[in-house]
Amino acid sequence: MRKLVFSSLVLLCAVCAFAQGPSILVPEGSSLMEVIPASADGSVPIIREYASACPVAVVGNVAMTIGRDTTHVFEIPISHPVADVRWLGTSLFYPEGKQIMRSWEDGSVRKLLEADAPVSAILPALDGILFTTDNSLVFCDYEQKTGRVLHQSKGKIILGGIHSGHIFFAEGADLYAIRGKQKVKFHSAGKASVKALAVHPEGPVFYSTADGTYLLNTDYRRLRLTAQSAKAIDIVGDKLFLSFADGQCVMVNRCGQYKEILLASEVDGKDGIGLLTAGHIPEAVRSYSAEVQRSQDERSAGEGVPADLLGEYAYALALSHDFDAALANIERSRALGGKYADFYSAQILRVMGLDDAADELGKNVAIPWNIRNHYEALNKKYASRARLVSGTPAEVIKTASTLAAAGQSVQALAKLGDLKQRYPENAVIYSCESTVWESLKHYRKAAQSLEKALSLTPSTADNLGRRTIYGNHLNTLKTKFDPVPAQPNFWKDKVLGYDKPRLMVYGGATLTSGLSSLNMRLGLYTSACFSASLNLGIARASKTTTGTIGISAYKTIKYLIFGMGISDSFSKGSNVFTLNPSAGVSFPAKDGMSSTDVMLGLSLPLSSGVGLGYSISVGRTFYFDFNLKKK
């Protein structure tokens, strides 16, 4: 009886446009439809992807296909309500307390694994299953059946999905992406905790809090879809399903069109980092100011404000040319041990026109993933050469020394850097700067500053004592140098970068006169945008199939690629060796994990009897576990 009632309700609603309930923003070219009406008991349906990307609604042990001309209703082997259900191919997965069960096509049900705590959400994949308990995010391999904890939380974890190799989840009000051992926070919903989360195949994130239901696009701009909070959010293909507390479920067709609204309209509730990367600096400052104030109010002390939030705030202040406030806040971030404090310190000094200090502080630092594609353009656009200090050199040096003694090193460097620009021949300025660099354990830079001070101190009887002090301390600094210095101009670091190489895979097609081929490259990609790979290809010309094997190396400079390789083209009874220089352009994806490459190449024969050739190739490169260190 329940099956028939469920079927009738859905069939009735599937042909009617959504007319009642919450007001929901729908993009042009999309449509909104009620899938399941509000129910008396408030049972919220589970919307999932079935075979061939078909959405199904599950209530109890009854499932029904949605959005097709022919509706199929079927029962699933579940005897009582469960927290989640998922299909992978024709297999059904669902949690049952601490156990995860798997139902096979023949109707048999077996226990897949048993967790340490009740399972709240699951996401099966080809090689294993991702699942959450109330405070753990775990991946378990099907064969070994051993769980690996990816994240441990004090609160409930909301699983959002997987996109471009990143696992998206929410903890409290914060949204995170995790890949391998690296976890990054990319958005905060404010005071309200996230209740539901889903990721669109093209990258946008949908989430809900007690304040409403929102869309966050790949540029971190936020749009409120409805003031009503969705209890569950699900995406199947390009269909968005929002389920509410009263059991009502609505479907938005072509939800990918939401990005057009974001591009063409004012965005409600955009957070600080979204405003910052979009170049709306005054609005970003106001947003960060409010967020910092909220953190202070909630934790009753300034020490409770997140260190990296203060770093972002300080950078926004610097871009607005409020340098005193920027320096004060970056010192707070540094005192709290901010992960990106050195990065933001360097960018603030760069905006202030103090490139020498910025270069030193910015060496080999981690770059936040949500700003790494924007900060250089922002620095250039908002660079300032305004005078930062006033007073005599003696007064400024005294102030800088006091700041350095109090641990406020960036403020001291800013004052001394500005003073150097005004009095480049004052030895005492460099001596004081050397002391600051030494306190930061930048001993080579401290030695360089002291050498400059020594060179500017005249060799006279009056200065003998000072020169002796400088010389003795210079020798002391040299004993503190690292055995193998990491210098940015060292050829190895220029080519290979500071991080371990990561795997890259390329696939593409090449066209020449009278010949076409498919190619694949497998190799390593470094944080300095250098790659080396093994090349394999198969070509067809004049009814003859030719295989190709070779090696190549490429260097990327912004959007340009330059490469050199050597290859052997072989077919029955012949081998032709060629040298292959190439050049082209690369268009990186927004997430930095792939790129589209267009190349022009030459084939310089190393074998006699073969002419010069040229080619054009188009392909896609994917980077696996690509590091986020500074290039």
Side-chain angles (χ1 to χ4, degrees):
M1 180 64 180
R2 180 181 182 181
K3 176 178 177 180
L4 292 175
V5 171
F6 180 71
S7 175
S8 299
L9 286 172
V10 180
L11 282 172
L12 176 64
C13 300
V15 297
C16 300
F18 174 60
Q20 296 180 344
S23 174
I24 299 176
L25 180 63
V26 178
E28 185 177 354
S30 301
S31 61
L32 181 66
M33 184 174 292
E34 188 177 54
V35 177
I36 301 174
S39 60
D41 61 357
S43 299
V44 177
I46 299 175
I47 310 296
R48 290 291 179 259
E49 181 176 353
Y50 189 50
S52 302
C54 173
V56 298
V58 179
V59 175
N61 68 334
V62 179
M64 194 196 75
T65 58
I66 300 172
R68 291 190 170 183
D69 295 335
T70 302
T71 301
H72 177 51
V73 181
F74 56 97
E75 292 185 353
I76 55 179
I78 298 176
S79 58
H80 54 276
V82 295
D84 198 2
V85 294
R86 298 275 182 177
W87 277 270
L88 182 64
T90 56
S91 294
L92 173 68
F93 298 78
Y94 60 91
E96 195 171 83
K98 296 182 180 181
Q99 299 178 346
I100 297 179
M101 311 300 292
R102 181 172 186 175
S103 172
W104 302 82
E105 190 174 7
D106 60 6
S108 61
V109 179
R110 304 171 196 168
K111 182 179 79 172
L112 182 65
L113 60 92
E114 184 164 350
D116 296 331
V119 177
S120 54
I122 59 174
L123 188 59
L126 294 176
D127 55 343
I129 188 165
L130 187 71
F131 65 89
T132 62
T133 62
D134 278 345
N135 57 6
S136 296
L137 178 63
V138 184
F139 179 81
C140 183
D141 184 274
Y142 288 135
E143 296 183 358
Q144 298 180 357
K145 296 186 178 180
T146 55
R148 177 165 56 95
V149 177
L150 304 179
H151 178 69
Q152 196 80 29
S153 168
K154 294 181 180 179
K156 185 177 181 180
I157 295 176
I158 305 296
L159 182 60
I162 300 176
H163 173 65
S164 297
H166 291 82
I167 300 168
F168 289 81
F169 66 95
E171 177 187 335
D174 299 327
L175 304 184
Y176 294 91
I178 189 170
R179 184 185 180 98
K181 296 182 179 180
Q182 187 169 29
K183 181 187 72 173
V184 291
K185 171 186 168 184
F186 63 91
H187 179 70
S188 176
K191 293 182 179 180
S193 295
V194 175
K195 298 169 63 177
L197 177 67
V199 183
H200 188 272
E202 294 182 4
V205 175
F206 296 84
Y207 72 90
S208 66
T209 69
D211 301 328
T213 303
Y214 298 90
L215 162 65
L216 186 72
N217 80 343
T218 51
D219 291 327
Y220 306 99
R221 296 198 296 169
R222 190 175 74 164
L223 179 70
R224 188 160 76 168
L225 305 184
T226 174
Q228 186 166 337
S229 174
K231 190 172 182 179
I233 304 174
D234 300 285
I235 296 174
V236 179
D238 204 27
K239 296 180 175 66
L240 170 68
F241 295 87
L242 304 176
S243 301
F244 300 96
D246 59 4
Q248 183 188 45
C249 177
V250 300
M251 176 180 72
V252 179
N253 279 306
R254 299 179 66 192
C255 63
Q257 295 296 317
Y258 275 116
K259 62 186 177 183
E260 301 300 328
I261 295 181
L262 284 163
L263 292 173
S265 67
E266 290 297 322
V267 180
D268 166 50
K270 202 191 308 181
D271 62 356
I273 194 66
L275 291 162
L276 189 66
T277 56
H280 303 307
I281 306 305
E283 294 85 352
V285 170
R286 288 195 292 270
S287 177
Y288 278 124
S289 178
E291 192 168 353
V292 169
Q293 187 61 53
R294 280 197 302 269
S295 296
Q296 290 176 328
D297 293 342
E298 290 172 2
R299 307 186 188 194
S300 72
E303 291 78 17
V305 180
D308 287 323
L309 173 63
L310 288 170
E312 293 177 17
Y313 182 34
Y315 183 42
L317 287 166
L319 294 174
S320 70
H321 296 172
D322 189 351
F323 296 125
D324 288 338
L327 291 168
N329 279 280
I330 196 61
E331 295 292 7
R332 292 173 67 192
S333 177
R334 296 178 67 87
L336 292 172
K339 178 180 179 181
Y340 302 113
D342 276 349
F343 168 78
Y344 285 117
S345 298
Q347 306 324 308
I348 291 168
L349 293 171
R350 182 86 62 197
V351 174
M352 296 169 75
L354 305 175
D355 292 339
D356 181 57
D359 289 341
E360 181 65 25
L361 269 183
K363 283 181 181 178
N364 199 23
V365 297
I367 302 176
W369 78 311
N370 51 11
I371 201 172
R372 70 180 187 272
N373 294 326
H374 305 276
Y375 74 95
E376 290 180 336
L378 288 171
N379 292 348
K380 184 177 181 179
K381 181 176 181 179
Y382 295 100
S384 171
R385 294 286 177 181
R387 293 301 182 199
L388 310 175
V389 296
S390 59
T392 66
E395 292 171 341
V396 177
I397 290 170
K398 182 178 179 180
T399 302
S401 299
T402 303
L403 289 169
Q408 298 178 19
S409 304
V410 179
Q411 293 194 65
L413 288 173
K415 292 185 179 297
L416 293 170
D418 185 58
L419 200 61
K420 281 197 307 180
Q421 293 177 350
R422 295 160 59 189
Y423 303 97
E425 303 301 317
N426 190 314
V428 181
I429 299 174
Y430 292 94
S431 172
C432 186
E433 184 187 55
S434 174
T435 303
V436 179
W437 286 121
E438 184 177 4
S439 70
L440 292 171
K441 298 184 179 179
H442 287 239
Y443 299 119
R444 290 183 176 273
K445 186 62 177 177
Q448 290 175 12
S449 296
L450 197 55
E451 286 175 341
K452 182 67 174 179
L454 187 59
S455 69
L456 292 173
T457 304
S459 301
T460 62
D462 292 341
N463 292 309
L464 179 61
R466 178 176 295 179
R467 287 182 59 84
T468 301
I469 293 172
Y470 287 170
N472 290 340
H473 193 63
L474 182 59
N475 291 331
T476 302
L477 286 173
K478 290 180 178 179
T479 64
K480 299 180 180 181
F481 289 177
D482 294 332
V484 181
Q487 298 180 9
N489 293 323
F490 188 50
W491 72 268
K492 174 177 170 292
D493 295 327
K494 277 286 190 180
V495 175
L496 300 181
Y498 294 100
D499 301 296
K500 293 181 179 179
R502 298 295 187 258
L503 179 67
M504 59 148 284
V505 176
Y506 168 90
T510 300
L511 297 177
T512 64
S513 55
L515 181 146
S516 60
S517 65
L518 296 177
N519 306 293
M520 186 188 79
R521 297 202 307 265
L522 178 65
L524 298 176
Y525 192 87
T526 75
S527 60
C529 300
F530 173 84
S531 66
S533 60
L534 173 67
N535 309 334
L536 300 172
I538 184 169
R540 183 74 174 173
S542 303
K543 299 182 181 181
T544 302
T545 300
T546 304
T548 303
I549 186 171
I551 56 174
S552 61
Y554 294 86
K555 175 68 176 179
T556 303
I557 303 174
K558 293 190 178 294
Y559 293 99
L560 301 178
I561 311 176
F562 303 93
M564 179 63 73
I566 187 170
S567 63
D568 173 26
S569 299
F570 55 89
S571 59
K572 187 175 181 180
S574 69
N575 284 75
V576 177
F577 289 91
T578 57
L579 195 64
N580 310 113
S582 59
V585 291
S586 176
F587 304 98
K590 289 184 178 180
D591 60 5
M593 303 304 295
S594 63
S595 64
T596 300
D597 308 319
V598 181
M599 305 286 291
L600 294 174
L602 292 176
S603 295
L604 306 176
L606 302 178
S607 305
S608 60
V610 180
L612 177 71
Y614 60 90
S615 64
I616 181 171
S617 63
V618 179
R620 187 86 172 166
T621 306
F622 297 90
Y623 311 104
F624 296 93
D625 197 22
F626 182 69
N627 67 81
L628 302 179
K629 297 287 185 180
K630 182 176 180 181
K631 297 182 175 74

